Amino acid sequence: MTETKIKTKPILFSGVQPSGAITIGNYIGAIRNFVLLKDSYRCLFSIVDLHALTVRREPALLRRRTVELAALYIACGLDPEENLIYCQSHVPEHAELTWILSCYTYMGELSRMTQFKAKSETNSDNINAGLFTYPVLMAADILLYQTQIVPVGADQKQHLEITRDIAQRFNALYGDVFVVPEVYMHKETAKIMSLSDPSRKMSKSDPEESYISLLDSPDDIRRKLKRAVTDSDTNIAFDPENKPGVSNLITIYSALSGDSVEKTVKHFNGKGYGDLKKEVTEVVIESLKPIQDRFNELIKDKQYINGILKYNAERAGSIAQRTLRKVYKKVGLYQL
Ligand code: ATP
Ligand code: LTN
């Protein structure tokens, strides 16, 4: 791609934490949209390893998950030549801008974040300051690149709102320093629910049986979907409020088969939950197969993955530096 072409495309940024096995929730709600949008934008897809430190991690496992996520991004269809796939911690400007932005973010607004409240409950023995300032690091990720669009799942909408607030507050003080980003999500697929508790979102940090990982074997997938919570009724209908488990399976089927929810419901008319589970299982196994095959090839070649991460961190760093310098100048830090 020529330099002029690159410059005319609007910028897209998104990130995924290397905090566990990537789930079909991450895939359907976020990564699939990355693939859909990747040719229309100049894209940065970060492996947000600094965010993952807000919860205690086994260091060797965090390192392994990081390389795996890089391979998975590519296996899912992202293009490592065109898209900037890189580790957040390899571009120090993320942490540097975070400090500046934290001086323009209020304790009050951070304490209203539902993710902070939820994670404080699940990590009650480790409610650290990083968990609290998590959205500031996320704002820095996005604002560093003059990002126009941020594809995420529904759980991140509030973090996008605070990012916009911080950008607008900063711009009101210093002129148009940051682009104010827009969120991108598909309402129908922005929140895939847990298989064991369909009132909660599917999450890679929850117990294994609650999610399907992109790397699960067909047997794992069969077992997990067989046990997925439905309800005592027998009727297959799309009603997320009253039938969250069944509706979640319909959403997964619809997202992966490409059929609309309406068509999916019609397809299952007169069938039972057993049929629904069986067909969801088939479509999940079939959709994950090419991703797994590609992943298994890529993960053998760590040198290739490292090369991609290094090259792209350098490219990302040079864009990030431009914004950071401007910010330092605006706020009055002495420049040599
Ligand atoms: P963790 O459990 O460690 O908090 P997570 O599974 O919530 O992780 P993230 O790395 O925080 O995953 O999210 C990566 C992307 O996937 C984000 O855009 C997020 O909104 C999206 N996402 C996460 N879970 C779901 C889900 N259940 N349905 C749809 N999108 C999701
Ligand atoms: N907080 C996000 C991951 C994330 C992100 C970002 C997403 C970190 N920085 C910037 C979009 C843009 C999450 O999914 N938990």
Side-chain angles (χ1 to χ4, degrees):
M1 182 182 283
T2 64
E3 197 57 27
T4 41
K5 227 172 158 190
I6 286 173
K7 283 198 176 125
T8 55
K9 284 189 183 180
I11 295 174
L12 178 154
F13 184 99
S14 200
V16 177
Q17 301 183 75
S19 52
I22 301 304
T23 70
I24 55 167
N26 301 132
Y27 179 66
I28 295 172
I31 299 177
R32 231 170 42 129
N33 290 336
F34 303 173
V35 178
L36 215 77
L37 297 168
K38 75 178 171 52
D39 295 326
S40 311
Y41 292 85
R42 186 180 189 195
C43 297
L44 296 108
F45 298 114
S46 191
I47 297 159
V48 290
D49 49 359
L50 296 174
H51 275 111
L53 294 180
T54 51
V55 173
R56 285 287 163 266
R57 309 268 170 214
E58 217 260 281
L61 187 58
L62 178 59
R63 273 190 285 271
R64 182 161 70 81
R65 299 262 196 231
T66 300
V67 182
E68 284 181 359
L69 179 51
L72 269 173
Y73 268 160
I74 303 168
C76 287
L78 300 181
D79 178 351
E81 303 292 328
E82 291 287 332
N83 309 142
L84 277 69
I85 295 172
Y86 72 99
C87 288
Q88 185 187 36
S89 68
H90 295 176
V91 179
E93 285 80 4
H94 287 252
E96 293 175 285
L97 183 61
T98 299
W99 172 253
I100 307 283
L101 296 183
S102 71
C103 300
Y104 295 81
T105 308
Y106 298 111
M107 302 284 284
E109 55 189 346
L110 288 175
S111 49
R112 282 195 292 275
M113 294 294 114
T114 49
Q115 182 175 297
F116 170 68
K117 290 190 239 173
K119 295 242 162 166
S120 302
E121 271 171 36
T122 48
N123 298 287
S124 55
D125 55 341
N126 180 22
I127 307 175
N128 59 69
L131 211 52
F132 190 64
T133 58
Y134 181 110
V136 188
L137 176 58
M138 182 159 160
D141 296 342
I142 296 166
L143 300 180
L144 262 182
Y145 299 98
Q146 307 298 342
T147 303
Q148 264 113 324
I149 190 170
V150 185
V152 281
D155 61 315
Q156 296 303 310
K157 196 162 169 251
Q158 200 185 24
H159 289 163
L160 250 294
E161 279 156 16
I162 195 174
T163 299
R164 289 170 55 87
D165 290 343
I166 296 169
Q168 279 161 345
R169 186 172 304 144
F170 199 92
N171 285 351
L173 288 166
Y174 302 108
D176 281 341
V177 177
F178 296 125
V179 168
V180 180
E182 302 286 337
V183 65
Y184 177 98
M185 65 178 68
H186 286 185
K187 207 168 136 256
E188 313 75 37
T189 52
K191 197 171 182 188
I192 301 299
M193 309 312 278
S194 153
L195 298 179
S196 46
D197 177 0
S199 68
R200 293 162 49 93
K201 91 168 178 103
M202 182 181 283
S203 186
K204 60 177 128 67
S205 333
D206 281 349
E208 252 240 67
E209 65 278 9
S210 70
Y211 64 79
I212 290 171
S213 146
L214 294 193
L215 300 177
D216 274 347
S217 69
D219 279 347
D220 289 336
I221 297 170
R222 270 182 214 109
R223 193 191 69 244
K224 289 180 185 180
L225 280 167
K226 213 174 209 171
R227 289 192 196 151
V229 169
T230 47
D231 53 47
S232 52
D233 204 354
T234 52
N235 180 27
I236 300 179
F238 187 73
D239 178 358
E241 193 120 311
N242 301 307
K243 299 173 76 67
V246 171
S247 304
N248 193 38
L249 294 178
I250 293 173
T251 302
I252 294 171
Y253 181 94
S254 154
L256 296 179
S257 68
D259 290 349
S260 65
V261 166
E262 232 184 357
K263 190 170 171 201
T264 304
V265 172
K266 236 185 227 154
H267 170 77
F268 285 108
N269 189 19
K271 298 185 183 171
Y273 289 170
D275 302 306
L276 174 65
K277 286 183 168 183
K278 199 167 147 264
E279 290 199 41
V280 174
T281 302
E282 277 162 21
V283 83
V284 171
I285 293 174
E286 215 172 281
S287 312
L288 297 192
K289 170 95 171 55
I291 297 175
Q292 296 181 350
D293 290 348
R294 181 91 181 95
F295 172 86
N296 290 333
E297 278 304 306
L298 286 160
I299 204 67
K300 284 188 211 146
D301 195 350
K302 206 168 150 201
Q303 228 174 341
Y304 169 73
I305 304 278
N306 287 351
I308 302 265
L309 292 176
K310 187 162 189 288
Y311 170 60
N312 284 323
E314 280 163 12
R315 290 161 84 199
S318 71
I319 310 172
Q321 249 176 42
R322 266 182 264 153
T323 303
L324 190 68
R325 278 212 202 97
K326 194 167 175 193
V327 168
Y328 276 10
K329 195 166 156 214
K330 290 282 185 186
V331 298
L333 297 180
Y334 185 59
Q335 308 289 293
L336 294 176

